[in-house]
């Protein structure tokens, strides 16, 4: 059985995740990257979308989860994993990475902070 790793890299969102109350009001920019292992024998053999993950549907699931505020990026990653597994139960393993761009950390200038969750 062929397994494929499907990557969706740096989906961009404006969302309202954060511990600081202002973050939850004003929001911030985020990027979500995914690596999902999926059995795709049918897609390889038959050029059939039904035999793999539909990227557009994956992106829609991520967009829906990102629209609901959380305090912690760890929690966002966990909700993404749960939503993806509920929608696509054949996902065998994966990695979800959520990055907050230009986080409001006093006296520090950084491009991003990120949390990555991996499951097997």
């Amino acid at each position: 059985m062929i397994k494929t790793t499907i990557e969706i890299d740096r989906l961009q969102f404006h969302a309202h995740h954060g511990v600081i109350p202002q973050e939850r009001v004003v929001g911030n920019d985020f990027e979500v990257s995914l690596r999902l292992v999926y059995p795709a024998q049918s897609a390889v053999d038959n050029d059939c979308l039904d035999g793999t993950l539909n990227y557009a549907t994956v992106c829609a699931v991520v967009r829906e989860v990102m629209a609901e505020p959380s305090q912690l990026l760890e929690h966002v990653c966990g909700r993404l994993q749960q939503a993806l597994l509920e929608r696509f139960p054949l996902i065998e393993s994966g990695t979800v990475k959520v990055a907050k761009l230009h986080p409001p950390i006093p006296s520090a200038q950084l491009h991003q902070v990120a949390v990555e969750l991996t499951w097997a």
Side-chain angles (χ1 to χ4, degrees):
M1 174 69 65
I2 290 177
K3 297 177 188 177
T4 58
T5 300
I6 296 168
E7 293 186 33
I8 299 175
D9 193 34
R10 297 172 57 189
L11 283 167
Q12 297 182 359
F13 300 94
H14 187 82
H16 299 270
H17 308 302
V19 174
I20 300 169
Q22 174 131 355
E23 290 181 287
R24 296 178 65 116
V25 173
V26 175
N28 205 335
D29 293 325
F30 294 83
E31 290 182 345
V32 176
S33 296
L34 308 166
R35 288 179 50 87
L36 304 170
V37 177
Y38 195 83
Q41 186 71 52
S42 178
V44 171
D45 292 343
N46 303 313
D47 195 25
C48 176
L49 181 59
D50 290 340
T52 190
L53 289 174
N54 181 320
Y55 312 148
T57 305
V58 171
C59 291
V61 169
V62 173
R63 183 176 318 284
E64 187 176 301
V65 171
M66 290 297 290
E68 182 183 328
S70 288
Q71 289 188 67
L72 303 176
L73 296 181
E74 292 85 348
H75 189 249
V76 177
C77 286
R79 290 191 303 113
L80 285 166
Q81 177 205 21
Q82 181 179 5
L84 289 166
L85 289 173
E86 284 175 7
R87 179 64 177 86
F88 301 101
L90 295 179
I91 292 174
E92 295 180 1
S93 61
T95 299
V96 174
K97 179 180 177 181
V98 178
K100 181 186 291 189
L101 306 180
H102 310 291
I105 298 175
S107 71
Q109 292 184 0
L110 15 134
H111 175 69
Q112 71 177 25
V113 295
V115 171
E116 186 173 283
L117 182 146
T118 301
W119 71 95

